[in-house]
Amino acid sequence: MLRHEFQPGRLVAGTFLTLTGIVYAGDAGGAWEAPWFAVIPLVVGGLFLAGAVGVLTHGIRRRRGSPRTPATTPPDADPDAPH
């Protein structure tokens, strides 16, 4: 599996949207009664929180520098030279 950059903002957004789906599924299944407007604060609040987490993560990564940059070879290095 290829490694990828961890993005906590997407995790937060996915969690809130999954929670919204669970609320609708519970209402449709008869487990509880949820008013039709209950999902608006869940979705809007989740997207707002995900955006805030994304901005915070971006600021932290920009301040620290990106440790996952690919290694480059110096321009004077001979690629055919034995190691």
Side-chain angles (χ1 to χ4, degrees):
M1 183 171 156
L2 295 174
R3 291 191 170 262
H4 58 85
E5 187 176 39
F6 177 63
Q7 297 178 344
R10 289 186 178 189
L11 177 67
V12 170
T15 302
F16 272 86
L17 293 175
T18 301
L19 179 64
T20 303
I22 291 171
V23 167
Y24 265 133
D27 185 34
W32 55 75
E33 256 328 288
W36 64 269
F37 56 84
V39 297
I40 294 171
L42 281 173
V43 171
V44 173
L47 291 177
F48 178 78
L49 187 60
V53 169
V55 167
L56 181 66
T57 303
H58 177 72
I60 290 171
R61 287 186 179 158
R62 193 176 81 185
R63 188 168 191 184
R64 285 187 183 176
S66 181
R68 294 187 184 204
T69 57
T72 58
T73 57
D76 60 335
D78 184 16
D80 296 330
H83 297 293

